Amino acid sequence: FGKQVTLDDFFTIN
Amino acid sequence: MFKAVISEAKEFKKIIDAASNLLDEICFEVSEDGIKARAMDPSHVALVSMDIPKEAFEEYEADVHDIGIDLEAFKKIMNRAKAKDKLILELDEEKNKLNVIFKGTARRKFALALYDVSSSNLQVPDIEYPNEILIKAGAFVDALKDADLVNDHVALKVDDGKFIIYAKGDLNESETIFEEDSEDIISMNIGENARSTFNLEYLKDMTKAASSDDILKICIGTDMPVKIEYDIGGANLTFLLAPRIES
């Protein structure tokens, strides 16, 4: 089921 | 100044519960329009956004303030709310406290220490999703409970016009299929087949504050963060959760 990624991998949030 | 009166303390408790499942602290950005807060959990896997417009309050008066709160402490105080209590939130600028007042048969006041949590200026990213599903919260939460029996993560899928919640463990599998004409589905706006896998515990936390008849808006794509949005007592809660991705 793969590896947990973070929201930072999808967009720059400040 | 900041003073807000909420007619049902229990409704506000749900909002604080939802946020405190994911965050340790939060900065309420209050202004004359209402209260908003946006924050990511410490691991940056989840984002919580809440908007409580002034119309959601019985009375509301505020200038611009950032009010940093320890959510665990706030949650414990909100747990003391009784069913018919009104809630008054009041900033004491001199003592640097947030007064949390329950007004029922008696007036009970807590003074909550403010934290130096600066506002994050986070925005919920404007992502375009191929699929948007409006579903009764109770039905979705039930599907998560089924998945929880077999694994600690779950796939949210759109396949052939159906919304599917699927989990697979070493031995066992669970699957809930919602078709467009299901009583639990309000609407399905399907653009393409999709599949993303998520940590189940986060999804459970994000949906914990919703009552079973509340409507969740769930936006999903393939290997994309899921967006879950719902309203509680005139407040809007939006959550983003990053997926697990096959390496």
Side-chain angles (χ1 to χ4, degrees):
Chain A
F1 265 118
K3 167 176 163 271
Q4 178 68 59
V5 299
T6 70
L7 291 172
D8 305 319
D9 295 321
F10 294 91
F11 22 75
T12 315
I13 306 179
N14 296 319
Chain B
M1 72 96 63
F2 166 67
K3 184 182 176 187
V5 180
I6 295 147
S7 52
E8 285 180 70
K10 288 281 186 192
E11 288 294 301
F12 193 76
K13 176 185 175 300
K14 286 187 198 169
I15 298 172
I16 297 306
D17 278 349
S20 67
N21 289 332
L22 297 159
L23 308 171
D24 300 328
E25 52 194 31
I26 201 163
C27 179
F28 289 117
E29 299 166 36
V30 309
S31 72
E32 60 184 19
D33 300 327
I35 302 176
K36 62 177 190 169
R38 325 234 178 279
M40 278 203 275
D41 80 313
S43 63
H44 283 205
V45 168
L47 183 147
V48 181
S49 164
M50 59 176 81
D51 277 289
I52 318 176
K54 69 175 179 197
E55 291 77 21
F57 299 91
E58 192 176 290
E59 287 171 43
Y60 185 87
E61 208 178 332
D63 310 318
V64 173
H65 291 284
D66 284 349
I67 300 177
I69 294 289
D70 174 278
L71 275 171
E72 191 56 34
F74 200 7
K75 181 183 171 177
K76 282 183 184 161
I77 291 173
M78 289 308 301
N79 277 341
R80 300 294 301 147
K82 294 182 179 163
K84 287 182 180 165
D85 280 354
K86 270 190 190 183
L87 171 68
I88 302 166
L89 300 174
E90 197 176 50
L91 180 65
D92 184 335
E93 289 180 70
E94 265 178 38
K95 292 184 182 158
N96 206 31
K97 307 264 193 205
L98 180 69
N99 290 333
V100 181
I101 300 160
F102 298 122
K103 207 170 161 192
T105 49
R107 179 185 163 97
R108 296 146 62 216
K109 176 178 146 184
F110 297 86
L112 183 60
L114 298 189
Y115 272 48
D116 191 14
V117 185
S118 55
S119 69
S120 57
N121 293 318
L122 276 178
Q123 296 292 332
V124 179
D126 198 13
I127 308 168
E128 271 199 28
Y129 283 95
N131 304 300
E132 183 184 296
I133 294 135
L134 297 185
I135 183 170
K136 283 187 187 163
F140 184 67
V141 169
D142 264 345
L144 295 182
K145 284 181 186 165
D146 288 354
D148 203 17
L149 297 181
V150 299
N151 209 330
D152 58 4
H153 37 264
V154 62
L156 303 185
K157 302 198 286 185
V158 168
D159 191 11
D160 200 15
K162 301 181 185 77
F163 176 44
I164 300 167
I165 291 109
Y166 173 76
K168 185 176 188 297
D170 289 338
L171 296 170
N172 306 320
E173 297 176 32
S174 91
E175 186 178 54
T176 304
I177 301 173
F178 293 103
E179 305 208 25
E180 196 164 6
D181 60 359
S182 157
E183 271 182 35
D184 298 319
I185 297 292
I186 314 308
S187 70
M188 290 215 267
N189 206 335
I190 301 298
E192 62 189 37
N193 285 352
R195 179 195 171 107
S196 294
T197 302
F198 300 97
N199 178 297
L200 197 46
E201 211 53 43
Y202 275 100
L203 284 177
K204 279 160 53 185
D205 283 343
M206 289 174 169
T207 49
K208 213 173 260 177
S211 303
S212 56
D213 283 338
D214 286 344
I215 307 298
L216 307 180
K217 179 161 108 178
I218 300 177
C219 300
I220 51 174
T222 294
D223 289 340
M224 280 172 74
V226 62
K227 182 160 90 168
I228 300 180
E229 203 176 328
Y230 55 97
D231 292 330
I232 296 181
N236 174 269
L237 292 175
T238 301
F239 301 90
L240 277 182
L241 175 61
R244 300 178 63 92
I245 292 182
E246 306 272 357
S247 45

